[in-house]
Amino acid sequence: MKLSINMAMTLDGKVVRPDGRWHGLTSKDDKHQMDVYRSQSDALIIGKNSIINDNPIVKIRAFPNVLNPRPVILVRKGSLPINKHVFEESDHIPLVICTKTNLKEIKTDLENRAEIFALDSEDIDPKKVTGILKRKGYKNVLLEGGPKLNFSFLEGDLVDRVYITIVPYIIGKNGLPGIADQSSELPKFDQNSWRLTSSSTKGNEVFLTYEK
């Protein structure tokens, strides 16, 4: 199984606006390219915060006849409201992976709207998540989570490819995260370099692909 991260960032490396969201900073070209990446994937990992803050449309719009990847939602604490696009516009019933701590709450809210898998732990272990997806037969998985979720998969050495869109804005505020964010650095970050395998420009945006 191959796992890819897809993120967009500003010229100064920020992946969220000061309000914590990302609305309005990418173009139609980036949305089209995102659909290209999704069309090459059979599962799409999304974090709880991304669902709540951005309410992403997970249905591929650029290619009407393509089967959409299955949404895989990681929920460490609490639950999710059902009035989100991910529960309304997917070709598949979402797979929700939660913990033993919030399983009861998730079942109460989502039992008829999702397949639910609870980990026997109080946290979401990325290695267990990838193990579940491998057992279910998924071959190409796209991670569209936030910076902390990205960090956890990178820390576990589980990421094979990174798609980055550079958008023509500079925010400047300190403290805003980059594509991976945590209080510590990734182990051996200066020894594990990535190989640039493709680059292109459309309008004022740059699209980069790095592979392990």
Side-chain angles (χ1 to χ4, degrees):
M1 188 187 85
K2 282 203 168 186
L3 178 68
S4 304
I5 286 176
N6 178 33
M7 291 290 282
M9 69 180 186
T10 61
L11 295 176
D12 54 341
K14 310 297 171 56
V15 300
V16 296
R17 301 172 74 112
D19 64 1
R21 302 176 65 194
W22 182 251
H23 56 90
L25 294 184
T26 50
S27 69
K28 290 182 179 179
D29 289 329
D30 177 66
K31 292 179 175 62
H32 181 275
Q33 191 62 40
M34 180 172 64
D35 278 352
V36 172
Y37 301 147
R38 287 179 173 183
S39 70
Q40 298 166 351
S41 308
D42 45 21
L44 176 67
I45 298 177
I46 314 170
K48 174 185 174 180
N49 289 340
S50 296
I51 297 290
I52 292 176
N53 293 334
D54 298 322
N55 192 19
I57 296 173
V58 297
K59 191 174 181 66
I60 295 172
R61 291 167 289 184
F63 311 105
N65 298 320
V66 171
L67 186 66
N68 291 275
R70 185 183 190 185
V72 179
I73 311 170
L74 308 184
V75 186
R76 182 169 62 91
K77 291 182 179 179
S79 185
L80 284 169
I82 61 173
N83 62 338
K84 297 296 182 181
H85 294 306
V86 70
F87 296 111
E88 300 168 354
E89 300 176 353
S90 173
D91 290 336
H92 315 269
I93 182 171
L95 171 62
V96 173
I97 299 177
C98 62
T99 70
K100 63 181 182 181
T101 307
N102 62 338
L103 174 59
K104 184 177 180 180
E105 188 175 357
I106 290 287
K107 278 189 171 181
T108 299
D109 294 341
L110 303 176
E111 191 162 28
N112 296 321
R113 304 299 297 271
E115 179 187 354
I116 300 168
F117 191 104
L119 301 176
D120 187 23
S121 60
E122 296 181 356
D123 204 351
I124 298 290
D125 183 341
K127 290 185 178 179
K128 290 182 179 179
V129 171
T130 56
I132 293 167
L133 298 181
K134 285 178 182 178
R135 289 195 297 273
K136 286 184 172 292
Y138 296 113
K139 302 297 184 184
N140 293 289
V141 178
L142 187 62
L143 173 58
E144 291 187 1
K148 285 184 169 53
L149 194 59
N150 289 344
F151 184 96
S152 68
F153 279 84
L154 287 163
E155 185 180 35
D157 195 27
L158 301 170
V159 181
D160 303 286
R161 184 187 298 116
V162 179
Y163 299 117
I164 298 175
T165 302
I166 300 176
V167 300
Y169 300 95
I170 297 176
I171 296 177
K173 182 180 179 181
N174 61 15
L176 297 178
I179 67 168
D181 185 62
Q182 192 50 271
S183 57
S184 60
E185 72 276 7
L186 288 167
K188 299 181 180 179
F189 72 92
D190 54 350
Q191 299 175 35
N192 299 323
S193 63
W194 292 75
R195 180 169 55 94
L196 179 65
T197 57
S198 80
S199 63
S200 62
T201 58
K202 295 180 183 178
N204 294 315
E205 293 171 329
V206 180
F207 301 89
L208 304 172
T209 302
Y210 283 89
E211 298 198 20
K212 192 184 296 181

